[in-house]
Amino acid sequence: MIATLALQSIGIPAGTFTGILLGLGMRRRSGKTDGLLGGSLLLTAVVAALIAWVVAIAVNYFIGSTP
């Protein structure tokens, strides 16, 4: 059941990962590196995507998604 919920909500972390890479990538290019985890853009994007995925799975589990 959890695997099905994870597959149903895979678009949310993918979009979050892409958005973080683009948004913070432009910000980092201008020299503002504060707010990055360990100074790494990739690590920050992965952690944000994982958090978004867990939240999306929890919302789908408790609210329920219609197939």
Side-chain angles (χ1 to χ4, degrees):
M1 179 173 171
I2 297 295
T4 303
L5 289 173
L7 287 175
Q8 286 177 349
S9 59
I10 194 69
I12 294 170
T16 302
F17 181 79
T18 305
I20 293 288
L21 279 181
L22 290 174
L24 290 181
M26 288 186 288
R27 184 173 168 227
R28 182 177 176 209
R29 195 171 290 190
S30 69
K32 299 176 185 173
T33 59
D34 54 328
L36 297 177
L37 296 175
S40 172
L41 178 63
L42 188 60
L43 177 64
T44 304
V46 168
V47 169
L50 286 176
I51 291 171
W53 202 9
V54 169
V55 169
I57 291 170
V59 167
N60 280 338
Y61 179 75
F62 289 115
I63 293 177
S65 60
T66 57

